[in-house]
Amino acid sequence: QVQLVESGGDLVKPGGSLRLSCAASGFIFSDDYMSWIRQAPGKGLEWISYIDSYGNIIYYADSMKGRFTMSRDNARNSLYLQMNSLRAEDTAVYYCARLGRSGYLNQWGQGTLVTVSS
Amino acid sequence: ESVLTQSPGTLSLSPGERATLSCRASQSVNINYLAWYQQKPGQAPRLLIYAASSRATGIPDRFSGSGSGTDFTLTISRLEPEDFAVYYCQQYVISPPALTFGGGTKVEIK
């Protein structure tokens, strides 16, 4: 069955960097657009970015541009999110998800927790 | 930027009752690009409805979506104990490309 497994979440100091990974299985990864979404503790969902099936087209939420970089490796069935200059407000659970052609997120991973604190 | 506003923030109902959740957009939404999700504590969101009214695979028919333009509704015809959760609406915007979520409605047991 479809599985998305995020990893890489950790406790990091303000100003630090972190790279999240999402391992995909159970579907043809190279066929699908993918997305990252986050959720701060006790808060709602916030879209971060999405990437086309080839990794050539990437869009970011305005608030994420410049610090976050999304990429994928179709040979490894993996999705990545490089996060730099982290701030306390980046503390959240980060989810990867499959993005359907009509812009809905039809499969989600279980999430990985990123905590930014000194 | 198109903003989604969900109401009410919290809905207190009893099992067996009907739940009506609202999602209002600041700009008109293409119905093909409006979705609803359910999230239970400690779990990832789950897709319920896409294209405003199409149920995702495995979603019971007590869940239904409707609406057009700027006003959309998620209806749960008869609440089951497992339906008490937070519900989010979400839109896909073509230009500039983006996904946006509403703030969520919590359906709690009265």
Side-chain angles (χ1 to χ4, degrees), chain A residues 1-113:
Chain A
Q1 76 277 20
V2 172
Q3 268 204 308
L4 296 169
V5 180
E6 301 91 338
S7 61
D10 205 350
L11 171 63
V12 61
K13 288 181 167 50
S17 297
L18 209 55
R19 189 196 197 203
L20 305 183
S21 300
C22 171
S25 60
F27 64 102
I28 303 174
F29 180 71
S30 57
D31 281 352
D32 280 3
Y33 285 40
M34 299 292 296
S35 187
W36 286 100
I37 305 96
R38 72 181 183 182
Q39 186 171 37
K43 302 296 184 183
L45 301 169
E46 182 178 26
W47 172 69
I48 298 171
S49 60
Y50 78 77
I51 189 168
D52 76 336
S53 53
Y54 299 104
N56 295 332
I57 299 172
I58 307 169
Y59 293 105
Y60 299 91
D62 286 345
S63 58
M64 314 293 174
K65 288 178 185 174
R67 295 191 302 125
F68 289 9
T69 303
M70 184 178 188
S71 62
R72 66 190 296 161
D73 183 341
N74 287 344
R76 296 178 185 271
N77 287 347
S78 291
L79 188 70
Y80 305 103
L81 185 68
Q82 177 68 42
M83 305 186 294
N84 299 328
S85 303
L86 284 163
R87 308 163 181 162
E89 52 266 36
D90 295 318
T91 293
V93 174
Y94 286 71
Y95 297 100
C96 66
R98 290 174 75 186
L99 182 63
R101 286 294 184 262
S102 291
Y104 54 88
L105 301 154
N106 52 22
Q107 304 279 354
W108 295 64
Q110 86 291 346
T112 188
L113 176 63

Side-chain angles (χ1 to χ4, degrees), chain B residues 64-86:
Chain B
S64 63
S66 62
S68 63
T70 60
D71 291 303
F72 296 88
T73 300
L74 174 69
T75 302
I76 310 171
S77 59
R78 292 177 314 280
L79 282 164
E80 297 287 341
E82 61 268 26
D83 299 336
F84 291 92
V86 179

